[in-house]
Amino acid sequence: MMALLSSSAATPPIRRHFDRRRRLLSSPIHLFRRLILPYPKPNPTCSASWRELGSLPFLCAPQIRPSLEVAGVAGVSPAAFRFCQQEPLALDAASLAVKECESDDELLAAVRLRVRTFYDEFDQSSGDQDQRRHLEEREFEALKDRIDGKRIGFKRVSCINATLPLSPLLGHANGLCSACTFSQNGEDRVVVATLDINQCLKLADELTGKRPEELGAGLMRAYLSNVCVAKELQRNGLGFAIVSKSKAVARRWGINDLYVHVAVDNEAALKLYGKSGFVYENEEPAWQARFLGRPRRFLLWADLSQIELVV
């Protein structure tokens, strides 16, 4: 037995077994089975079948996808890989409208886009759908009250939307179209981006802007809130378009100082607001963010006094 353990003439059977097992465990197919298959959550808006897209969260990882493609894993079709690499839908700029909300139907469509964007944990179960509808109704009533001047501390509020006509170009965005469509002058349109502009002293639980600094001038500043763009149409300039429209509306109200809050790690939003002329003014303490259970935020400011007033 001692001679066998010390011999280097041949690899022992036990070692050969573990070498073979190690090669098997490191194979792409094993990685696929261990990392991808355990119960991913379906997404009912996928255009491909869930059998193809069961591995969606992991197929998009660059360190895994090439190995699977080379290995030719059974049950994963090219459609799944194309889905991961799919570009956002193209934007028909000629039919895009960016304006203040004009009807309750449009306002409800905007609220549904916000719930769809900010509360993506809802699935298709009946309980979650009931919660979604309750949240939409609550947010709609709260926003309508602010717009109608029924909320203390708000002098003026407007909802600004970017909308597109319902058309075959949006055919792959079934979830967006079914949730965020409204009728206007006999035409069906889809809210694809939205925000609120609030002329007020402050927003609840947020840092308060300091400009203008004159005594009693608190209502002469405005804040952006609920800024969101449909995920299917991101990187098409819609965020920049609605922010630019909000700046024009604020100038019409006589506002020179416009503020927005943004999470410190939201690089896409920071880039958007930087492009839109916002600069850093203040930031939220870490303890406050922990207390409120959210990411820490920056307060950004934009000087509107140089923007030409358009009546």
Side-chain angles (χ1 to χ4, degrees):
M1 183 173 181
M2 292 297 295
L4 177 62
L5 290 177
S6 61
S7 174
S8 59
T11 304
I14 295 178
R15 182 176 174 182
R16 287 200 302 271
H17 170 75
F18 281 109
D19 285 346
R20 180 176 178 273
R21 180 173 176 79
R22 184 171 55 199
R23 289 193 300 272
L24 177 63
L25 291 176
S26 62
S27 69
I29 294 179
H30 179 79
L31 288 174
F32 170 77
R33 290 173 176 168
R34 288 290 302 273
L35 297 178
I36 297 176
L37 292 181
Y39 315 114
K41 183 177 180 180
N43 181 353
T45 64
C46 292
S47 58
S49 69
W50 182 246
R51 183 178 298 276
E52 290 180 332
L53 300 177
S55 55
L56 178 60
F58 298 94
L59 284 175
C60 295
Q63 68 271 28
I64 294 178
R65 183 175 61 243
S67 299
L68 296 179
E69 290 173 330
V70 172
V73 177
V76 182
S77 75
F81 298 109
R82 289 196 300 271
F83 186 91
C84 292
Q85 300 169 357
Q86 183 178 1
E87 294 297 324
L89 296 176
L91 175 65
D92 181 10
S95 59
L96 179 70
V98 183
K99 58 181 180 55
E100 294 180 79
C101 183
E102 297 179 350
S103 69
D104 286 355
D105 285 345
E106 182 181 351
L107 193 66
L108 180 58
V111 167
R112 286 173 173 166
L113 176 60
R114 299 170 190 193
V115 171
R116 186 174 183 262
T117 301
F118 300 135
Y119 299 90
D120 59 357
E121 70 271 17
F122 293 115
D123 61 25
Q124 294 301 302
S125 67
S126 58
D128 276 1
Q129 289 305 297
D130 290 342
Q131 293 180 42
R132 179 190 289 272
R133 282 192 293 269
H134 175 72
L135 181 59
E136 290 171 351
E137 292 170 2
R138 187 184 69 189
E139 293 298 317
F140 172 77
E141 293 299 331
L143 177 54
K144 189 164 172 37
D145 283 350
R146 291 198 299 272
I147 292 174
D148 292 342
K150 297 180 180 179
R151 290 298 177 97
I152 297 175
F154 290 84
K155 182 177 180 180
R156 197 162 11 189
V157 176
S158 181
C159 172
I160 296 174
N161 297 326
T163 68
L164 287 169
L166 184 63
S167 71
L169 293 176
L170 295 175
H172 294 294
N174 296 327
L176 174 66
C177 295
S178 62
C180 306
T181 300
F182 68 100
S183 294
Q184 181 183 60
N185 300 324
E187 179 187 37
D188 288 337
R189 298 188 69 87
V190 183
V191 176
V192 294
T194 180
L195 63 74
D196 297 334
I197 179 170
N198 311 267
Q199 184 178 2
C200 57
L201 288 169
K202 62 178 182 178
L203 295 179
D205 297 328
E206 298 285 8
L207 296 171
T208 301
K210 304 302 182 185
R211 299 178 175 89
E213 299 178 350
E214 295 83 5
L215 185 63
L219 286 174
M220 295 310 295
R221 60 176 173 263
Y223 298 85
L224 301 184
S225 62
N226 298 317
V227 183
C228 65
V229 176
K231 58 187 177 182
E232 295 90 345
L233 284 164
Q234 290 176 355
R235 301 193 298 278
N236 274 296
L238 291 172
F240 184 81
I242 58 175
V243 171
S244 297
K245 180 63 177 180
S246 72
K247 292 164 71 176
V249 171
R251 283 293 291 133
R252 194 175 73 237
W253 292 353
I255 300 295
N256 289 333
D257 301 285
L258 184 61
Y259 284 93
V260 68
H261 301 88
V262 59
V264 298
D265 60 350
N266 191 340
E267 296 181 4
L270 288 169
K271 183 177 180 180
L272 164 65
Y273 296 130
K275 182 180 178 182
S276 301
F278 286 84
V279 296
Y280 170 91
E281 179 175 294
N282 200 355
E283 63 185 84
E284 185 177 40
W287 68 263
Q288 181 176 334
R290 287 195 300 269
F291 177 78
L292 295 171
R294 69 182 186 199
R296 192 163 61 89
R297 301 189 181 194
F298 289 141
L299 176 65
L300 307 181
W301 165 75
D303 180 10
L304 306 186
S305 61
Q306 304 303 314
I307 297 178
E308 183 179 354
L309 179 60
V310 179
V311 180

